[in-house]
Amino acid sequence: MRTWRNRLDFLLVNSRMALWWAIGTVIILMAGWQMLLHRLDREKTLVEETALAEAGILARGYAQQLQRTINTIDQLLLVIKVDWETSGGEVRLEDFKRRGVFPESAPFNASIVDRNGMRFTSTFGPGALRSSPDVSDRPYYLAHKTAGSDFLYMSLPTWGRSTGNAIIQFSRRLLDAEGHFDGVVLITVELGFLTANYDEVTLGPFGFLGVVGTDGLMRVARTGEHVHDPASNPIPASPNLALPAGNHFFEGATLFRDGRSRFVGWQKVDGYDIVALTGLDQETVMAPYWQRRSEVVKTATALSIGLLAFVVVAAALSLRLTWRKRQLEMAQATYRIATEGGSEGFYISRPIRDASGRIVDFEAVDCNQRGAAFYGYRPEQFIGVRLSVLYAPQDTDIVIGALRTAAEQGEFEGEVCLAGDNDPHKRYVYLKAVRSDADLAVTLRDITREKQHVLELERIGNEDVLTGLPNRLWVQSFLPEAIGKAARSGKKLAVLFIDLDGFKGVNDTLGHAAGDEVLRNAALRLRDAVRPHDKVIRLGGDEFVVVIENVVQEADAAHVAERILHAFREKFRLSAGIAAVSTSIGISVFPDDAEDAGALLQNADVAMYLAKTSGKHTYRFFDPKFYDALRNRLRRETDLRHAIEHDQFVIHYQPRIDVRTGRTSSMEALVRWAHPIEGMLQPGSFIDLAEETGLVVQLGELVLDKVCAQIAHWMRNGDVMVPVSVNVSSRQFNEADISRIFREALERYGIDARLVEVELTEATMMSGDQDINSALHDMHNQGLTLLVDDFGTGYSSLAKLQQLDFDVLKVDRAFTHELGKSDQGNVFFQAIITMAHALGMRVVAEGVEEERQLEILKALGCDEVQGYLLAQPLAPTAVQTGLFRELHKLAP
């Protein structure tokens, strides 16, 4: 009966608790809904911002695609223009179409208009010449007739007279032999071709793709699957595109005639007065967001109802917990037993203040057994003791400072390091103090053993196992701190990046155990060579770093580097033998060369590379010019890899002429790089790099494939056929099965081996490598003709020439250049011809550029000549359409 009465009294006293639960729930729900709606609004903004950014990215991609397309069209215009002007107007585009250059399904056609505005030849066929021969009123003709120089003309969208299709016209000016206006070469492109890359997955069914000129006039436009013709402009008003690139959201009919809102991005096409436009339809982009918002609101509503149900249950449970709390208050009498049974030291500390109210000390007012024992006291002795007498003077300020923080801020928790008076070993304590009224409840635990274990792990993690030096991890944490210290003091800091020259040879010849012995001894020599306060670090492998602080001038760092070089002059006496190992050192200085740790190490590494290339066993300071050159080389290597992967190379052909008959006896295939930015590049600007990086192997296979494909094309057309020679480098012999590659290329295109010749340098021939000799014999057995290129620039053996059974000897242009200047030059060339003929080899003179040289070579009995006097390297079309016909006229 008494129990029920007590419970009724308790409920009456605590009835307000349920009211607080209700109020709290309403507040939580309101706050939650406000946060949810705010987050959904932020998510909507993010989706819109992402759509704008994506529109800008798509515009940049479309602009790049347009630039490549127009560049391709312009290249085709230039090819036809050059063909027309070099052939004297004998080009017939109908033949181009018949040979497949302009397929029936192609979205573009070409025409040539003469100086009077009459259509002369066209890929449209004879019908176009009859139906619309006079185009003198067309803008593309008038623009070039009145212009003072040649340029690429791009028209507004129009209807094609010949096809009736919607087109855009591209044209260039033709010149006669005197450089006067001789007509126009024209390519018409269907509008749909310029927007053919429209991707509905990315742009959606209502996306927009278009091209607008900088004059504000629309060139091409596409909405979804619909390509707009010249009569239907989807953008009635010219958009304001003040910047060359950007993005903007256009609401409703403010831009588009169909009234749909879109996120629009634009990008000016580099090199042309046009701007690429892309548009993402707002309704399509935002549809997933609105669906998710609906689902989230439904879920939040369900959760709110669940929370209300939970509150009802929680209120009942809260009353029950309060009842339990009342019962637990009776357990406070067991506090002393509980604290005594704990594993941590515990005491109550009371602040002692001076006259100004500042805390100057603390006094123990209560404790458990472990708390007193921590200081070597019994509980009754510890109560009343001030903390200032419990610690050494150097530790008192630390502990009282921590407790003062707890008294002021309510709590302190952390590690405290106690050094003691004479104890060489530090003691670590985990201290936690919580303010309760005016006193502090302090808990402490000795964590010295755990801390020492952690410090030992840190030491192991920051130390190189082999040499005992600090490692890469250590310098990554130390160097930023050292840089900050140098910046605050106004002094410099130097980083020396050290690489061991010859270390790989020790590993390869004496073994890895000897290499490890070299590294340990190198670490000792570095420690002895630097100043006591300099830091020596091993990064890994045979790379070390020295950090020099308090540098006044660069000479300080140079002095340390010279000491290191001197320390490595003496050879290493190892268990396995004697090894000579030197050092190459790169130096970068803070703040002159870099202002952060990563850049400082990188620049020191670059300077070390400069030291390596300067002959090793030296040091070099960081040179920005060398760094720029290195970056340019890496960039050029990246471009070259990209060019090989995407086939940016074309082949030109330079004839070799038989001196006796005057006819073309062969052609040399010469590769050109059609760089998308720098234009047509000669081999001298990239072949050496290809050799150094090994890319010449892939490039060589690409060139061979192109040459074989071109020979096969000429054969199918019934053209005059002569052999074509291909240059092969020594790396192709060393790193690839070159004879197999030639065999497979010939089989792939069905080419007779007699139509392909192989040119290799003297250095390749004289290498003496058995694999190279075997490959040459195999290639000769296939029927391939072997040529020694640039003869006279290296060291050749007559026995080697005879042994490998070479067919042709090409004399370097340096000897051709000396002909006619002295009797010695003529005699030397005569000796080469006599020797080659004695070995059964034909002789080709390279670099023939003067009539006098040609006359002397005829008199000396030279078999063939090659050079700009006779013909420059030409594109395949120019070779077949005019070269043989012209060169055959030289025949007697």
Side-chain angles (χ1 to χ4, degrees):
M1 185 69 177
R2 181 177 297 176
T3 301
W4 285 104
R5 184 178 297 171
N6 290 338
R7 289 183 178 180
L8 181 59
D9 293 340
F10 171 78
L11 289 174
L12 292 174
V13 173
N14 293 277
S15 59
R16 289 177 297 177
M17 185 175 298
L19 179 61
W20 286 114
W21 272 102
I23 295 174
T25 302
V26 172
I27 293 174
I28 291 173
L29 286 175
M30 291 176 63
W33 275 98
Q34 184 176 4
M35 291 174 60
L36 175 62
L37 294 176
H38 177 69
R39 182 172 180 178
L40 289 173
D41 289 340
R42 287 184 57 191
E43 184 176 340
K44 177 175 177 290
T45 301
L46 180 60
V47 171
E48 293 172 342
E49 292 174 350
T50 302
L52 273 176
E54 185 177 0
I57 294 172
L58 292 173
R60 289 194 294 274
Y62 184 36
Q64 294 173 0
Q65 187 266 334
L66 283 173
Q67 183 186 29
R68 292 192 295 270
T69 300
I70 297 176
N71 283 345
T72 301
I73 293 171
D74 195 22
Q75 287 293 321
L76 187 54
L77 285 169
L78 289 172
V79 168
I80 298 174
K81 168 184 170 67
V82 172
D83 206 1
W84 169 275
E85 293 176 352
T86 56
S87 65
E90 295 185 5
V91 174
R92 293 297 181 271
L93 294 179
E94 293 83 355
D95 295 338
F96 276 53
K97 188 166 186 177
R98 186 176 63 257
R99 294 183 180 183
V101 179
F102 291 87
E104 290 293 336
S105 59
F108 49 85
N109 282 284
S111 299
I112 294 179
V113 178
D114 63 21
R115 68 184 66 182
N116 298 317
M118 301 300 293
R119 200 187 297 262
F120 177 73
T121 178
S122 172
T123 60
F124 290 104
L129 299 179
R130 292 191 299 269
S131 62
S132 56
D134 186 3
V135 294
S136 59
D137 61 333
R138 301 295 275 182
Y140 67 83
Y141 171 84
L142 297 174
H144 287 295
K145 182 175 182 180
T146 58
S149 60
D150 184 30
F151 66 98
L152 176 65
Y153 173 85
M154 179 179 180
S155 75
L156 292 172
T158 185
W159 298 100
R161 290 183 176 179
S162 300
T163 63
N165 296 331
I167 60 168
I168 281 187
Q169 299 158 329
F170 297 84
S171 62
R172 277 193 174 274
R173 188 182 195 191
L174 295 176
L175 300 176
D176 58 16
E178 287 75 30
H180 299 144
F181 176 75
D182 198 30
V184 173
V185 56
L186 167 72
I187 289 181
T188 64
V189 180
E190 295 181 5
L191 293 184
F193 178 71
L194 296 179
T195 59
N197 65 331
Y198 184 96
D199 184 8
E200 187 170 338
V201 175
T202 302
L203 294 171
F206 299 103
F208 175 80
L209 207 62
V211 181
V212 65
T214 55
D215 54 6
L217 299 177
M218 181 62 66
R219 297 303 198 271
V220 182
R222 176 173 182 165
T223 303
E225 294 298 322
H226 177 62
V227 178
H228 296 273
D229 57 36
S232 60
N233 186 355
I235 301 179
S238 175
N240 181 18
L241 307 179
L243 299 175
N247 51 42
H248 186 71
F249 173 71
F250 289 90
E251 182 77 26
T254 56
L255 182 63
F256 296 94
R257 193 181 298 275
D258 60 6
R260 301 185 72 92
S261 300
R262 288 184 175 88
F263 302 93
V264 176
W266 65 87
Q267 174 70 51
K268 186 179 182 301
V269 179
D270 190 19
Y272 301 99
D273 294 331
I274 57 174
V275 178
L277 293 179
T278 58
L280 297 174
D281 181 60
Q282 182 196 30
E283 183 178 340
T284 305
V285 171
M286 299 302 294
Y289 163 76
W290 289 116
Q291 181 179 357
R292 182 178 178 278
R293 182 185 181 104
S294 176
E295 293 172 355
V296 169
V297 170
K298 290 179 181 178
T299 303
T301 302
L303 291 175
S304 299
I305 295 173
L307 178 60
L308 291 173
F310 169 80
V311 167
V312 174
V313 176
L317 292 176
S318 178
L319 290 173
R320 182 169 181 173
L321 289 174
T322 304
W323 171 256
R324 291 289 187 185
K325 181 179 179 182
R326 185 177 182 183
Q327 291 181 322
L328 288 174
E329 289 176 354
M330 298 175 63
Q332 294 300 318
T334 61
Y335 161 75
R336 184 66 58 193
I337 298 174
T339 57
E340 291 297 343
S343 61
E344 297 179 334
F346 174 82
Y347 63 89
I348 302 296
S349 181
R350 181 164 295 161
I352 297 175
R353 303 177 184 271
D354 60 11
S356 63
R358 181 176 179 272
I359 298 176
V360 294
D361 206 342
F362 289 87
E363 180 183 358
V365 296
D366 196 2
C367 69
N368 67 358
Q369 185 72 31
R370 291 182 180 273
F374 186 86
Y375 297 100
Y377 289 84
R378 294 193 300 272
E380 63 271 15
Q381 293 174 329
F382 184 69
I383 295 173
V385 175
R386 295 193 175 189
L387 295 186
S388 57
V389 301
L390 298 175
Y391 295 98
Q394 60 267 40
D395 297 332
T396 300
D397 291 341
I398 297 175
V399 177
I400 291 181
L403 297 182
R404 185 183 291 126
T405 299
E408 295 172 352
Q409 300 180 5
E411 184 179 7
F412 172 85
E413 184 174 5
E415 296 177 4
V416 176
C417 178
L418 306 177
D421 285 325
N422 300 313
D423 190 353
H425 303 290
K426 294 182 179 180
R427 187 181 187 190
Y428 294 90
V429 176
Y430 186 81
L431 180 68
K432 181 177 182 180
V434 180
R435 186 179 63 201
S436 177
D437 294 332
D439 297 336
L440 297 177
V442 181
T443 304
L444 67 167
R445 176 165 51 91
D446 192 330
I447 58 169
T448 301
R449 183 175 299 178
E450 294 91 331
K451 187 67 176 179
Q452 289 175 345
H453 180 67
V454 171
L455 293 175
E456 179 63 17
L457 290 177
E458 290 180 356
R459 184 192 65 80
I460 294 173
N462 289 317
E463 184 178 285
D464 178 57
V465 177
L466 181 63
T467 62
L469 295 175
N471 60 13
R472 181 186 297 270
L473 182 62
W474 181 87
V475 77
Q476 287 175 348
S477 61
F478 168 77
L479 192 53
E481 297 176 0
I483 290 174
K485 181 180 177 182
R488 290 189 296 272
S489 64
K491 295 184 178 179
K492 296 184 177 182
L493 177 145
V495 171
L496 279 62
F497 199 103
I498 303 166
D499 186 83
L500 302 185
D501 302 325
F503 176 75
K504 184 178 183 301
V506 175
N507 266 340
D508 294 342
T509 57
L510 301 180
H512 290 285
D516 291 345
E517 193 174 351
V518 167
L519 292 174
R520 286 192 292 270
N521 283 283
L524 294 175
R525 292 191 184 186
L526 287 172
R527 281 173 171 166
D528 293 339
V530 302
R531 301 174 302 182
H533 51 276
D534 295 335
K535 306 296 188 298
V536 181
I537 304 100
R538 183 192 175 205
L539 290 185
D542 60 342
E543 294 178 340
F544 296 83
V545 164
V546 173
V547 179
I548 306 175
E549 297 182 275
N550 300 321
V551 174
V552 178
Q553 54 186 356
E554 289 186 351
D556 298 340
H559 178 67
V560 174
E562 290 170 353
R563 287 169 58 93
I564 293 173
L565 294 175
H566 180 77
F568 281 80
R569 287 180 180 175
E570 184 179 349
K571 296 182 179 180
F572 287 84
R573 299 184 180 275
L574 310 174
S575 302
I578 297 177
V581 177
S582 60
T583 59
S584 294
I585 306 172
I587 307 173
S588 65
V589 179
F590 168 85
D592 300 342
D593 299 327
E595 296 186 353
D596 63 85
L600 205 60
L601 283 169
Q602 174 182 297
N603 291 346
D605 190 8
V606 171
M608 184 275 293
Y609 182 77
L610 175 58
K612 287 274 190 186
T613 58
S614 300
K616 301 182 180 180
H617 191 57
T618 185
Y619 67 89
R620 289 289 185 272
F621 281 89
F622 174 71
D623 184 353
K625 295 181 180 178
F626 177 77
Y627 182 43
D628 292 341
L630 183 61
R631 286 196 304 177
N632 290 336
R633 183 187 183 279
L634 293 175
R635 187 182 302 111
R636 175 64 81 178
E637 180 181 345
T638 300
D639 289 348
L640 185 57
R641 291 183 187 277
H642 178 82
I644 294 174
E645 292 174 0
H646 295 81
D647 189 9
Q648 295 179 353
F649 296 92
V650 296
I651 307 299
H652 288 184
Y653 298 86
Q654 186 176 29
R656 300 204 316 260
I657 308 302
D658 189 299
V659 174
R660 184 176 59 83
T661 65
R663 295 182 179 274
T664 302
S665 58
S666 180
M667 292 188 293
E668 181 179 359
L670 301 169
V671 65
R672 303 288 188 266
W673 181 359
H675 197 285
I677 297 176
E678 300 179 29
M680 197 69 71
L681 300 182
Q682 299 296 317
S685 64
F686 61 88
I687 287 296
D688 289 344
L689 179 60
E691 287 277 0
E692 294 173 12
T693 59
L695 293 173
V696 71
V697 177
Q698 302 174 47
L699 179 59
E701 291 190 35
L702 180 63
V703 169
L704 177 60
D705 188 80
K706 283 179 170 290
V707 170
C708 290
Q710 186 62 56
I711 293 174
H713 175 72
W714 284 333
M715 291 172 61
R716 287 193 300 270
N717 290 344
D719 293 321
V720 179
M721 298 304 301
V722 295
V724 178
S725 63
V726 179
N727 291 277
V728 180
S729 76
S730 59
R731 292 198 70 158
Q732 289 177 266
F733 279 95
N734 294 329
E735 301 177 19
D737 188 350
I738 191 66
S739 62
R740 177 185 59 80
I741 292 173
F742 268 84
R743 186 185 306 109
E744 291 178 352
L746 294 174
E747 293 174 354
R748 185 162 56 250
Y749 292 99
I751 300 172
D752 191 330
R754 290 173 296 181
L755 291 178
V756 178
E757 300 177 342
V758 183
E759 295 193 23
L760 64 156
T761 61
E762 287 181 281
T764 303
M765 180 190 71
M766 295 302 298
S767 66
D769 189 283
Q770 187 60 36
D771 292 336
I772 294 180
N773 295 343
S774 176
L776 289 173
H777 283 299
D778 188 23
M779 295 167 76
H780 203 277
N781 291 337
Q782 293 180 40
L784 296 168
T785 302
L786 301 182
L787 293 78
V788 179
D789 193 18
D790 297 334
F791 182 78
T793 58
Y795 300 92
S796 299
S797 164
L798 297 180
K800 195 74 170 181
L801 291 172
Q802 186 176 20
Q803 175 187 357
L804 296 177
D805 197 15
F806 280 89
D807 303 292
V808 179
L809 196 69
K810 297 186 71 176
V811 183
D812 188 72
R813 64 181 63 249
F815 300 103
T816 305
H817 183 69
E818 294 299 320
L819 291 175
K821 295 184 178 181
S822 65
D823 293 338
Q824 183 179 5
N826 296 358
V827 170
F828 189 80
F829 215 107
Q830 179 67 69
I832 294 175
I833 294 173
T834 302
M835 175 201 68
H837 286 172
L839 295 175
M841 300 171 65
R842 290 176 64 82
V843 178
V844 179
E846 296 182 301
V848 178
E849 299 178 355
E850 299 176 2
E851 292 285 353
R852 177 170 176 77
Q853 294 171 349
L854 181 60
E855 294 300 325
I856 294 174
L857 289 169
K858 286 182 179 179
L860 293 178
C862 184
D863 301 298
E864 301 176 25
V865 290
Q866 180 180 358
Y868 281 14
L869 175 64
L870 304 164
Q872 296 186 3
L874 300 172
T877 304
V879 168
Q880 289 306 98
T881 56
L883 178 61
F884 290 130
R885 180 175 63 254
E886 295 300 325
L887 291 177
H888 287 173
K889 295 178 180 178
L890 298 176

